[in-house]
Amino acid sequence: MPENHRLIEVQTIEPTRHGSLIEDELGAAGIHLVRVGAEGFDAPKTALSSKLGIGPDSSARNIFRQLGTKNRKHLLSAMIVARKTASATCKLEMSDDTVKKPGDIQWLRVHVRFDQSDAHARWTFVAVDISGEQLALENLKAEEEHLRHIVEYNPQLPWIADANGQIIDFTDRWLNSTGMSRNEAVGEGWLKKTHPDDIERVGGTISRCHKSGEPFDETIRLEVNGTYRWMRARGYPRRDENGNVVCWYGYTEDVHEKVLIDQQILWDAEHDSLTGLHNRAYFSTKLEKAIKAAPANLKKVALLLVDLDNFKQVNDLMGHVAGDDLIRKFAEALRAAAPADAAVARLGGDEFAILLNGLNEVSEAVEVAEAILRLQGNFDFGGRSVTYHASVGIGMFPEHGIDANQLLRHTDLALYKAKSNGRAQIQVFAKEMLDDMQERVAMVNRARTAAREGRILAYYQPKVCLRTRKLAGFEALLRWQDNLGKIHAPASIYAAFDEKTVAELLGKTMISHIFDDISSWKSQGLEFHQVAINASPVEMRQSDFVTRLTDEMKACDIAISEIEIEITEGVFIGTNADTSRKSIDQLHKAGIPLALDDFGTGYASLSHLRNLPVSTLKIDRSFVQDLADNTSDFAIVSAIIAMGKASGMKVVAEGIENKTQEDLLTDLGCDIGQGFLLGKPIPAHDVAWLIEHWEEYLERNVQPPKWAIDVPMRRANDAN
Ligand code: C2E
Ligand code: CA
Ligand code: CA
């Protein structure tokens, strides 16, 4: 500051009583007048002077010095400006080292006035305590910083839109991640980075919410750093006092991982993981919905149940990896064979379902089923090859089921029928299948009850050497007795032989009866030769069938030559066919003779025969029946006999009912005959009599007096 310059020399307000009153009021409001006389600072009375620690003797120079370098510089600059423009303002910050006792004053705004209207230059300084104001300003700044950091480090990306939903501003991070400039993104520019498939949806939601003023919440895909990511966009309106929306605040949140996980969870809940087809739960819901909607459209719904015929075989022979592979391959082919809008599901195992909507005729469903039937082919795995094919059951809504449950049950019956009809078949549900089913259930119940109540009996039908007419052995045949004591043949419980637990129970019961009977005949010294025992496919599929049989033989002291096991071709079909094959090999290893029953009726008889350790062939009754009149039956029978002989097998003819049949078979070289002509099945307790009176019985038609039930009656024309 130039020394010659008289800086502080003018007092603007006289210290009158009046003036001092004004000064006090101003002081209370934080405004202080600093009066400067020619002698120096005249301020002892003001509150400011005490706050600033300025004593009565303070000279202007002193005060000026006390302000500190920085404040002095500010004040001086203001004075230089004031000299030119008459007034100026500066802000001074009081600190410990500028004034002795700053008290609560931190900031002063000093208004400087310069007046040179007369000879003397006058300076007026008005100091206003702005500590409070400054503090508020600083707090505001801190608050702002605070918010800025919260926003900056928040994973959500905020934006602001005007009342019409046009975006006004995005945060820098929003712009950085999308790679858009603020100018590009504002308004509706951000839609350019939105996935095309989401634009319509999010656009609709936003315009709806802007109309209603409701907050919105949408999940969309936004292109971020070059790839689409799932974002949750939420917007909330801000309203004025009249309730009108002023603007919208919102944020976009990256929820990509969460959406992917949610999608995966949803996918898992609705799909089969092996094939990618829909699963049972999803399919059931779809079916229910289709059935609900169908009546209104006057259309039909078709349910197709598809089952791979020889899947179990692949699974068991080639292993689960191969099984899975076949399921996947078939699922793919099934999807391709079904119409694009059909729902295709894997219900479990090797069972699939197809839902066809909007049909007019059952023939449309049959057409699809025919395409599925054509899917059969070769499945190659690990150097092995298996042919696969499927069976299809069809059920239509409304005619075959009034609801999804019933339709499923009935279509299942149609599928069952298709499979039992010989596989690779299509069956449309028919009411008779229900009767069949009910009859099957009744059969199983009948058999189960009879077995539990000890009403299963073993009957024995003689087998005769055709050349000598001597007794060659017996076949054990199951009979059951009803509550009234009437004896029934297995026809009335036939389905029980297919039902695992009951079939096993029947088998065990029969073997126990047969072994008891054999032991008893042996103890009486009777020459019964051999008893043929029928084993159902279900029994042969038990892995411990042979062990249990041989254990029991040992326990009852039965020799291997005293029995023979009769199996049918059924053991090679269906589930666990390879376990049956193992049982066959075990029987062979144990030395137990094996007979192939009902020979000629199965479709692969000859191919099976080649690699089976079978010692006896039983020609089915159906061939024997018309032997005399039907030339093709005659040809078949003679071929079987010739082939059996050539392979060193014993050939048994079943169902010989008359002498002509017996003679023809004898001439053809058939070893053994069985049939009503030679003896009907009889109860165990009559076997002793039969053995002892065999020749009389056969030649002279002598019958035991006590045969009351199931008597082997000879027909009049067979009498001799
Ligand atoms: P299958 O093994 O073919 O038995 C021969 C069937 O032909 C027997 O019927 C027998 O009574 C009948 N039959 C024998 N000779 C003649 C004849 O000259 N004319 C006519 N019309 N029929 C004759 P059955 O006893 O009713 O048995 C039927 C089927 O039930 C058997 O056929 C067999 O598959 C099954 N079965 C019988 N007992 C058992 C058993 O203990 N276990 C198993 N798993 N199945 C059995
Ligand atoms: Ca048999
Ligand atoms: Ca038979």
Side-chain angles (χ1 to χ4, degrees), residues 305-346:
L305 290 180
V306 182
D307 195 289
L308 263 176
D309 291 332
N310 40 2
F311 170 69
K312 252 323 209 181
Q313 200 182 333
V314 171
N315 222 16
D316 295 343
L317 290 178
M318 297 163 132
H320 291 286
V321 180
D324 284 358
D325 209 42
L326 175 58
I327 290 284
R328 255 194 307 264
K329 185 180 171 186
F330 184 72
E332 219 171 276
L334 196 63
R335 178 67 272 186
D341 59 346
V344 182
R346 179 180 174 223

Side-chain angles (χ1 to χ4, degrees), residues 475 534 566 597 618 654:
E475 175 178 3
N534 290 287
E566 290 191 8
D597 206 353
K618 294 190 80 173
E654 291 185 315

Side-chain angles (χ1 to χ4, degrees), residues 16 20 26 115 122 137 141 157 203 210 242 255 259 326 357 364-365 422 430 484 489 531 534 543 561 607 658 671 683:
T16 58
S20 139
L26 288 172
D115 181 17
R122 290 156 207 261
L137 212 68
K141 234 170 112 184
L157 307 170
H210 282 139
N242 300 322
V255 289
V259 169
L326 175 58
N357 242 325
E364 296 165 57
L484 302 170
V531 177
N534 290 287
S543 55
S561 60
S607 67
N658 56 53
D671 305 298

Side-chain angles (χ1 to χ4, degrees), residues 165-168 170 174-175 178 180-194 199 222:
Q166 297 292 308
I167 305 240
I168 307 165
F170 288 101
W174 196 102
L175 299 167
T178 54
M180 287 188 118
S181 75
R182 189 164 265 106
N183 278 345
E184 278 177 308
V186 290
E188 284 183 344
W190 60 279
L191 282 171
K192 279 193 213 107
K193 291 282 175 179
T194 304
I199 290 179
L222 200 66

Side-chain angles (χ1 to χ4, degrees), residues 569-573 581 596 599 602-614:
E569 275 187 292
V571 303
F572 307 108
I573 299 166
R581 178 66 222 221
L596 194 55
F599 189 73
Y603 61 97
S605 305
L606 293 172
S607 67
H608 280 148
L609 209 58
R610 223 176 298 129
N611 47 30
L612 274 183
V614 170

